[in-house]
Amino acid sequence: MARAVQKRTLETRARLIAAAEEVIAEAGYEAMRVEEVVQRAGVAKGTFFAHFRDKEALLERLIGTRGDAQLDRIEALPPPADIPAIIAALNPLIAEMTSERYVFDLILRYSGAASRAETGPIAQTFARTDEVLSQWLALGPFRKDVTPALLSSGVQAFLMHVTALHFCELYHEQTLQEMLTELLEAWLLPGGTGAKAG
Amino acid sequence: MARAVQKRTLETRARLIAAAEEVIAEAGYEAMRVEEVVQRAGVAKGTFFAHFRDKEALLERLIGTRGDAQLDRIEALPPPADIPAIIAALNPLIAEMTSERYVFDLILRYSGAASRAETGPIAQTFARTDEVLSQWLALGPFRKDVTPALLSSGVQAFLMHVTALHFCELYHEQTLQEMLTELLEAWLLPGGTGAKAG
Amino acid sequence: MARAVQKRTLETRARLIAAAEEVIAEAGYEAMRVEEVVQRAGVAKGTFFAHFRDKEALLERLIGTRGDAQLDRIEALPPPADIPAIIAALNPLIAEMTSERYVFDLILRYSGAASRAETGPIAQTFARTDEVLSQWLALGPFRKDVTPALLSSGVQAFLMHVTALHFCELYHEQTLQEMLTELLEAWLLPGGTGAKAG
Amino acid sequence: MARAVQKRTLETRARLIAAAEEVIAEAGYEAMRVEEVVQRAGVAKGTFFAHFRDKEALLERLIGTRGDAQLDRIEALPPPADIPAIIAALNPLIAEMTSERYVFDLILRYSGAASRAETGPIAQTFARTDEVLSQWLALGPFRKDVTPALLSSGVQAFLMHVTALHFCELYHEQTLQEMLTELLEAWLLPGGTGAKAG
DNA sequence: TATGAATGAGCGTTCATTCAT
DNA sequence: TATGAATGAACGCTCATTCAT
């Protein structure tokens, strides 16, 4: 009996999420209105708040889900053998994060993992990214004088750095790619090509 | 006469800034309300917007001023000879940035330099930091296989990274200091002690 | 200058009140919606709450104003010489209070004078009623063995008693008139016709 | 089997009532939420409404039960021989009614007997009070020029009047006792000491 | 009877920003 | 410059009641 009820609950939640995705696809995250979502989902406003603490909770979930999809894809890739491969793998994730200023702000707010009572989806995405990167860096032909965990941490720092610069009018897409490349080379292969030799 | 008017103007502006600082000292940046500030300054709401483009413009100015004070101090220091010295020099800046989550968000938003028409105070602080760091890194006993500009860029990325982690309950103050040390060592002195040899 | 501004304020307030009265005339007090009022007044919702603490504050004012109008009328009457005259004078006030269950509930809630920070309009109407009644009872051919204030107090008790019974399906209009007459006779002229003799 | 079912039903009802009393004891009538009650009773929300038409039906029952207890006590008393005795007898009833503003409002709403299809517990309490008072007033040394029913009606009006004033901060407990005494003396013994003579 | 997810209308609130004076 | 009333779009929330299972 409890299961039957839960099914209805899941359906409602799915409808809300689908409606929200629809709205976002049409007008972007920032333009999403709770009112609009419940109307499209054919659900009462109160129901919305029975499923999500607030509007941001839904957004967090939505963004987290997308991030997870990216990570699923990334995990399925063969460990990259060089820096261009890393960048190529991570680029869609960067694209996701820079799709909208509002999204980036949200990500920043929620990336602070357990700053909230429970670890939210976005924080989890960050944790997963860390794991994936660590493995890659351990397996690939990168410097071994420091732990993969530290390397991964640094890569993430660069990732966020470059992502933040996306919203700075001074930089062009290409410049940022170059900057990221340079940073990663200097970080992962100090001594340049000599790293391979060394 | 124009001078007299200007004097009054400057006084009003000073009163607004003083009032804002007062409010912030009591309740923090996030809790600052324009309403409260103008009341304490004894001026009308409209006057506020005659002096500052918007609320954030004041906040930017306030935060920028603090950052500048830090940089004045930092610039007066002798170029650090090792990583602990760098960290010691930068720590107060980190403390400033982590004083409040909201402040950090603002800083990140405005770190993207000219995301607004004119380069604001926060972006300028970043630019200055970049200059100082570049000089230090050029002068000090750090890796020379990449440009000081790139090194500086990376240091800033790590700085922000670690600062962000301050708002993540998982990390303790000490852990973060250690992490920053490790990151900087790996970044500025790849090959560890070998850097001294190189 | 302050006066000019105040004029605009008064106009806005007047527009809000007029709009509210319009809505109430059409659909009753209970059906009044803040949304509807601000729309008709051509005013923003925020403005409504800048003028009235909440919806009930406006309603209180509206009901109080009507009560005051009744009292203005009542005060202009010559002091009644007998009980039917008292009842005739008070009947429109009763009619006002029983026009809507919702109104009566509000009156009850706010009659408790200073139970709120400031004495509201409804409580003031009650106070004025007390004054008027006291004067009447002092002047008229009614019992003199107790103070007019006490007599007035009793009359008000009967008034509310009978008013409350209006919302009880058992009683018809006429029954209540009779009951009030009997109560007032027994209260104001104990000893029946003998009072005239006495 | 029907009996078994009925037994479970009664148990559920008892649990709901007990839970409600618990909540009320802790937070008062106004703060009682159906949600809270069903949680404590360990039943589903729907179950609540299978047992009580609506929330007020439960409240009415609860308040009515308390009133009945008072009346049981009052009925057991010997008919009072004077006004202080009447007041002493009724005082606990007043205390009950003034325990909470919200309770008084409810009582007033339901005092109007059959304003609902069926006469509820509160209305019944009023009816019983009326009977008791009528008998007392018929038996005691009070005015006989009007019917006991009318006298009783007036006493109830005064009772409610004084009770209402409890929620008006202007009046103190003692003042109200005195006012009630004066009102009852003037009502039940017009002519003052003459009543003793009569 | 029992369940509990869903309902739903509307209130109050927020507060940076504007604009007529 | 200075004034301050007015703006306005959502959000969050409430919580008794219903209804399909």
Side-chain angles (χ1 to χ4, degrees):
Chain A
M1 194 163 188
R3 202 163 304 174
V5 170
Q6 202 168 31
K7 192 186 164 196
R8 184 165 64 126
T9 303
L10 290 175
E11 279 171 13
T12 302
R13 174 167 309 219
R15 282 228 305 285
L16 282 167
I17 288 171
E21 279 170 344
E22 218 179 284
V23 175
I24 287 162
E26 289 172 19
Y29 283 85
E30 186 154 23
M32 194 203 90
R33 301 283 166 255
V34 172
E35 193 59 42
E36 176 77 11
V37 170
V38 296
Q39 262 177 34
R40 292 213 197 188
V43 143
K45 209 176 185 179
T47 306
F48 182 95
F49 292 98
H51 283 271
F52 304 99
R53 190 179 3 85
D54 54 23
K55 186 189 170 183
E56 289 204 345
L58 169 59
L59 252 22
E60 209 194 333
R61 202 207 132 117
L62 253 30
I63 293 171
T65 303
R66 289 215 187 180
D68 273 344
Q70 288 299 336
L71 277 172
D72 289 344
R73 183 189 51 72
I74 287 171
E75 274 187 324
L77 295 176
D82 53 18
I83 286 166
I86 292 182
I87 291 179
L90 295 179
N91 254 338
L93 195 61
I94 297 179
E96 200 77 67
M97 290 198 292
T98 53
S99 65
E100 220 174 306
R101 164 99 241 180
Y102 180 73
V103 170
F104 182 60
D105 283 349
L106 267 185
I107 287 174
L108 270 169
R109 175 146 48 253
Y110 287 105
S111 63
S115 69
R116 305 258 160 168
E118 297 175 15
T119 305
I122 289 180
Q124 278 178 23
T125 300
F126 272 82
R128 267 187 78 195
T129 308
D130 202 42
E131 285 170 31
V132 174
L133 283 175
S134 293
Q135 282 188 7
W136 276 3
L137 299 173
L139 295 173
F142 308 112
R143 69 194 287 187
K144 305 290 180 221
D145 59 336
V146 295
T147 63
L150 192 77
L151 278 191
S152 161
S153 207
V155 172
Q156 284 202 74
F158 295 149
L159 219 55
M160 293 306 284
H161 186 68
V162 171
T163 303
L165 293 180
H166 262 99
F167 299 104
C168 166
E169 293 173 356
L170 291 178
Y171 299 91
H172 299 297
E173 185 64 29
Q174 202 194 349
T175 323
L176 294 172
Q177 291 285 329
E178 283 166 17
M179 184 188 287
L180 184 56
T181 305
E182 281 182 62
L183 284 167
L184 289 185
E185 276 174 359
W187 178 238
L188 300 176
L189 300 171
T193 54
K196 294 167 190 172
Chain B
M1 192 164 178
R3 201 168 304 176
V5 168
Q6 201 169 34
K7 191 187 165 196
R8 187 170 60 127
T9 303
L10 289 176
E11 276 172 14
T12 302
R13 172 170 307 226
R15 281 227 306 285
L16 282 167
I17 288 171
E21 279 172 343
E22 218 179 284
V23 174
I24 287 162
E26 289 173 19
Y29 283 86
E30 184 153 25
M32 193 202 93
R33 299 282 169 260
V34 173
E35 180 68 38
E36 179 75 13
V37 171
V38 295
Q39 261 178 34
R40 295 213 195 189
V43 301
K45 248 209 200 127
T47 307
F48 182 97
F49 292 93
H51 284 271
F52 303 99
R53 187 176 9 82
D54 53 25
K55 184 190 168 183
E56 290 207 341
L58 170 59
L59 252 22
E60 233 193 311
R61 200 206 133 118
L62 254 29
I63 294 171
T65 302
R66 290 210 188 185
D68 274 344
Q70 288 299 337
L71 275 171
D72 289 343
R73 183 189 52 73
I74 287 171
E75 273 186 323
L77 295 176
D82 54 18
I83 285 166
I86 292 183
I87 292 180
L90 296 180
N91 254 338
L93 197 60
I94 296 180
E96 201 77 67
M97 291 198 293
T98 52
S99 64
E100 214 177 314
R101 165 98 237 182
Y102 180 75
V103 172
F104 179 63
D105 285 351
L106 262 187
I107 287 174
L108 237 129
R109 171 142 54 250
Y110 288 108
S111 66
S115 65
R116 302 253 163 167
E118 298 174 15
T119 305
I122 291 179
Q124 278 178 23
T125 301
F126 271 85
R128 271 185 75 193
T129 308
D130 203 43
E131 283 169 31
V132 174
L133 281 175
S134 294
Q135 281 187 7
W136 279 0
L137 299 173
L139 295 173
F142 308 111
R143 71 194 286 186
K144 305 290 179 217
D145 60 335
V146 295
T147 63
L150 191 77
L151 278 192
S152 162
S153 203
V155 172
Q156 286 201 71
F158 293 150
L159 220 54
M160 296 306 282
H161 185 67
V162 172
T163 303
L165 293 180
H166 266 97
F167 299 104
C168 170
E169 291 174 356
L170 294 178
Y171 299 91
H172 300 297
E173 185 63 29
Q174 201 195 349
T175 325
L176 294 172
Q177 291 285 330
E178 284 166 17
M179 185 187 287
L180 184 56
T181 305
E182 282 181 60
L183 284 167
L184 290 185
E185 275 174 0
W187 177 237
L188 300 176
L189 301 171
T193 54
K196 296 166 189 169
Chain C
M1 194 166 190
R3 203 165 302 175
V5 169
Q6 201 168 33
K7 193 187 167 197
R8 183 164 64 126
T9 303
L10 290 175
E11 279 171 13
T12 303
R13 175 168 308 220
R15 282 228 305 287
L16 282 167
I17 289 171
E21 279 170 344
E22 219 179 283
V23 175
I24 287 162
E26 289 173 18
Y29 282 86
E30 186 154 24
M32 193 201 91
R33 299 285 167 256
V34 172
E35 193 58 43
E36 177 77 12
V37 171
V38 295
Q39 263 176 35
R40 293 214 197 190
V43 143
K45 208 176 184 179
T47 306
F48 181 96
F49 291 99
H51 283 270
F52 303 99
R53 190 180 2 83
D54 53 22
K55 186 189 170 184
E56 287 205 346
L58 169 60
L59 253 21
E60 211 194 330
R61 203 205 131 117
L62 253 29
I63 293 171
T65 302
R66 289 216 188 179
D68 273 343
Q70 288 298 337
L71 276 173
D72 289 344
R73 182 189 53 71
I74 287 172
E75 273 187 324
L77 294 175
D82 55 18
I83 285 166
I86 292 182
I87 292 180
L90 296 179
N91 255 338
L93 196 60
I94 297 180
E96 200 77 67
M97 290 199 292
T98 53
S99 65
E100 222 175 306
R101 164 100 241 180
Y102 180 73
V103 170
F104 182 60
D105 283 349
L106 267 187
I107 287 173
L108 271 170
R109 175 146 50 252
Y110 287 104
S111 63
S115 69
R116 304 260 161 165
E118 298 175 15
T119 305
I122 290 180
Q124 278 178 23
T125 301
F126 272 82
R128 267 188 76 195
T129 309
D130 201 43
E131 284 170 32
V132 174
L133 282 176
S134 293
Q135 282 187 6
W136 276 3
L137 298 173
L139 295 172
F142 307 111
R143 69 193 288 187
K144 305 289 180 221
D145 59 336
V146 294
T147 63
L150 191 78
L151 278 191
S152 161
S153 206
V155 172
Q156 283 203 75
F158 294 151
L159 218 56
M160 293 307 284
H161 186 66
V162 172
T163 304
L165 293 180
H166 262 98
F167 298 103
C168 165
E169 293 174 354
L170 290 180
Y171 298 91
H172 298 297
E173 185 63 29
Q174 200 194 352
T175 324
L176 294 172
Q177 291 284 331
E178 283 166 17
M179 185 188 286
L180 184 56
T181 305
E182 281 182 63
L183 283 167
L184 288 184
E185 276 174 358
W187 177 238
L188 300 176
L189 301 171
T193 53
K196 294 166 189 171
Chain D
M1 189 162 179
R3 201 167 303 174
V5 169
Q6 202 169 34
K7 191 187 165 195
R8 188 171 61 127
T9 301
L10 289 175
E11 277 172 14
T12 301
R13 172 169 307 225
R15 282 228 304 286
L16 282 168
I17 289 171
E21 279 171 342
E22 219 178 283
V23 174
I24 288 162
E26 289 173 19
Y29 282 86
E30 186 153 24
M32 194 202 93
R33 299 282 170 259
V34 172
E35 181 66 38
E36 178 76 12
V37 171
V38 296
Q39 259 177 36
R40 296 213 195 190
V43 301
K45 248 207 200 132
T47 307
F48 182 97
F49 292 93
H51 284 272
F52 304 98
R53 189 177 5 83
D54 53 25
K55 185 189 168 182
E56 290 207 341
L58 169 60
L59 252 23
E60 233 192 311
R61 200 206 132 117
L62 253 29
I63 294 170
T65 302
R66 291 212 187 182
D68 273 343
Q70 289 298 336
L71 276 171
D72 290 343
R73 183 188 54 73
I74 288 171
E75 274 186 323
L77 296 174
D82 55 17
I83 285 166
I86 292 182
I87 291 179
L90 296 179
N91 254 339
L93 196 61
I94 296 180
E96 200 77 65
M97 291 198 293
T98 52
S99 64
E100 214 177 312
R101 165 98 238 182
Y102 180 74
V103 171
F104 179 63
D105 284 351
L106 262 188
I107 287 173
L108 237 131
R109 173 142 54 249
Y110 287 108
S111 66
S115 66
R116 303 254 162 164
E118 298 173 16
T119 305
I122 290 179
Q124 278 177 24
T125 300
F126 271 85
R128 271 185 75 194
T129 308
D130 203 43
E131 284 170 31
V132 174
L133 280 175
S134 293
Q135 281 188 8
W136 278 2
L137 298 173
L139 295 173
F142 307 111
R143 71 194 286 186
K144 304 292 180 219
D145 60 335
V146 294
T147 63
L150 191 77
L151 277 193
S152 161
S153 203
V155 171
Q156 286 202 70
F158 293 151
L159 219 54
M160 296 307 280
H161 185 67
V162 171
T163 303
L165 293 180
H166 265 97
F167 298 105
C168 170
E169 290 176 355
L170 294 179
Y171 299 90
H172 300 297
E173 185 63 27
Q174 201 196 349
T175 324
L176 295 173
Q177 291 285 329
E178 284 165 17
M179 185 188 287
L180 184 57
T181 305
E182 283 182 61
L183 284 167
L184 289 185
E185 276 174 358
W187 176 238
L188 300 176
L189 300 172
T193 55
K196 295 166 190 171

